[in-house]
Amino acid sequence: MAEHIFIRVTATAENYQNWEDTHNSCEGARNEFGITDGPFYKDATDPNSALVHLVVEDMDRAMGWFKDPRFAEANAKVTLEGPRELYFAKQR
């Protein structure tokens, strides 16, 4: 059964493209944790917000990505407005 992580992010106006580029550059590293990029939704009313959909093979393994030094390094490159909102789901 597929598991999913949805992450809503809002970047500063000057930093949105940097955030998106940084996110995209980490795709290979996420794959190492059994994470596949799903659809990417840009907010229709806020051009600096997005909802990222990640499909995961195993949630415990996938959570390792958020502890990986490469995630911390990528995170240090971007400025977000407020915290990320994470949602976890299982497909029925």
Side-chain angles (χ1 to χ4, degrees):
M1 180 178 299
E3 296 182 276
H4 306 268
I5 301 172
F6 296 90
I7 306 169
R8 180 175 166 76
V9 297
T10 301
T12 61
E14 337 33 80
N15 209 13
Y16 179 85
Q17 191 60 52
N18 180 45
W19 170 82
E20 189 174 335
D21 293 345
T22 300
H23 169 79
N24 291 336
S25 74
C26 294
E27 182 178 5
R30 285 190 299 274
N31 290 162
E32 293 174 28
F33 290 89
I35 300 171
T36 303
D37 288 0
F40 184 94
Y41 304 94
K42 187 113 179 216
D43 191 302
T45 60
D46 182 352
N48 301 314
S49 293
L51 180 68
V52 177
H53 178 184
L54 304 173
V55 180
V56 303
E57 296 171 5
D58 175 86
M59 192 63 73
D60 290 334
R61 179 176 168 213
M63 294 309 291
W65 163 243
F66 299 103
K67 298 173 186 167
D68 188 274
R70 293 171 291 182
F71 175 78
E73 181 181 313
N75 203 35
K77 293 179 182 179
V78 298
T79 302
L80 297 179
E81 289 189 359
R84 290 173 179 81
E85 297 176 40
L86 282 101
Y87 305 92
F88 303 94
K90 288 186 179 185
Q91 190 167 349
R92 296 179 62 170

